[in-house]
């Protein structure tokens, strides 16, 4: 709740929030680490697009709020409907939209891909780009964890779990979600449009 209020106040006042012109100085070129996760019969994952992890592509500098940096960066590159929070500790996925997650504070260990998926640990400054269908759940976290999430324009938010017993419907819906035109960190010239072509 406090982070939501802080986000609104920063948007209204501009305090702690970088201007669009300042964003380029806060972004560092990083390798796109990709992970292909297969459908395990329970978690659909994504047949076309890999999970993408950028290690520390964002510099927390200039007295800006780290969460506000991610919000401004994602919005400037076509991903909105942002939020500040953590991550659920139960397996879920989205069938109508991709998702970008910036770690603004602390660290997080996540299992991607379902029960037999891949566990990754991420820390403040890291960015994850999850294609529609990628199962994810929090395994461990620091007490101070803060995640900023956003969604590319044109998608439809939903939340599915294995309890929904909607695997086949999920697979069909995921196949219809188009790749975004911009990388949420690096924009039109970033690696995501090429990786997800």
């Amino acid at each position: 709740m406090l982070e939501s209020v802080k986000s609104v106040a920063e948007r209204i006042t501009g305090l702690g929030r970088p201007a669009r012109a300042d964003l380029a100085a806060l972004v560092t070129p990083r390798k796109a680490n990709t992970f292909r996760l297969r459908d395990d019969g329970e978690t659909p994952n994504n047949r076309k697009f890999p999970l993408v992890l950028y290690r520390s592509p964002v510099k927390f500098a200039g007295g800006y709020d780290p969460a506000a940096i991610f919000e401004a960066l994602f919005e400037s590159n076509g991903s909105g409907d942002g939020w500040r929070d953590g991550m659920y500790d139960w397996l879920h996925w989205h069938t109508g939209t991709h998702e970008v997650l910036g770690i603004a504070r602390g660290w997080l260990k996540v299992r991607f891909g379902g029960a037999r998926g891949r566990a990754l640990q991420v820390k403040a400054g890291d960015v994850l780009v999850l294609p529609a269908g990628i199962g994810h759940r929090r395994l461990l976290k620091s007490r101070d964890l803060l995640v900023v999430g956003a969604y590319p324009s044109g998608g439809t938010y939903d939340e599915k779990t294995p309890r929904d017993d909607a695997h086949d419907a999920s697979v069909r819906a995921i196949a219809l979600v188009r790749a975004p035109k911009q990388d949420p960190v690096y924009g039109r010239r970033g690696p995501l449009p090429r990786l997800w072509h």
Side-chain angles (χ1 to χ4, degrees):
M1 180 71 140
L2 175 63
E3 286 297 329
S4 296
V5 170
K6 190 175 176 186
S7 177
V8 170
E10 288 170 347
R11 288 172 193 274
I12 293 169
T13 66
L15 292 175
R17 188 175 172 85
R20 189 179 191 112
D22 298 330
L23 290 173
L26 299 173
V27 175
T28 302
R30 295 286 187 231
K31 175 185 174 192
N33 299 285
T34 60
F35 303 89
R36 292 215 172 262
L37 301 163
R38 295 182 182 194
D39 185 333
D40 66 5
E42 177 182 73
T43 306
N45 294 307
N46 195 298
R47 294 177 181 173
K48 294 189 294 186
F49 307 142
L51 168 71
V52 176
L53 167 60
Y54 295 117
R55 295 281 184 190
S56 301
V58 174
K59 295 182 273 187
F60 297 147
Y64 301 120
D65 175 4
I69 293 172
F70 281 126
E71 288 170 341
L73 182 64
F74 297 160
E75 288 168 7
S76 73
N77 291 315
S79 290
D81 293 328
W83 51 265
R84 296 181 184 192
D85 204 346
M87 181 184 286
Y88 299 134
D89 63 355
W90 40 272
L91 175 63
H92 66 287
W93 59 86
H94 312 292
T95 65
T97 188
H98 308 299
E99 183 174 37
V100 58
L101 304 172
I103 312 303
R105 194 170 58 228
W107 60 268
L108 173 68
K109 187 171 183 180
V110 184
R111 179 162 320 277
F112 292 102
R116 295 181 298 264
R118 175 132 190 195
L120 295 173
Q121 188 160 321
V122 291
K123 64 181 179 359
D126 291 347
V127 174
L128 292 151
V129 187
L130 285 63
I134 294 292
H136 49 292
R137 72 178 284 252
R138 182 189 80 225
L139 299 175
L140 297 168
K141 70 178 185 77
S142 64
R143 295 181 87 182
D144 63 341
L145 176 68
L146 179 61
V147 179
V148 174
Y151 308 96
S153 61
T156 305
Y157 182 86
D158 67 353
E159 222 168 65
K160 300 293 182 185
T161 73
R163 292 183 301 277
D164 294 329
D165 193 28
H167 177 271
D168 293 344
S170 288
V171 169
R172 287 190 297 275
I174 291 161
L176 299 175
V177 182
R178 294 183 178 187
K181 294 179 181 168
Q182 299 185 66
D183 186 299
V185 176
Y186 300 107
R188 293 190 187 281
R189 296 182 183 203
L192 191 72
R194 177 180 44 81
L195 292 170
W196 284 10
H197 179 69

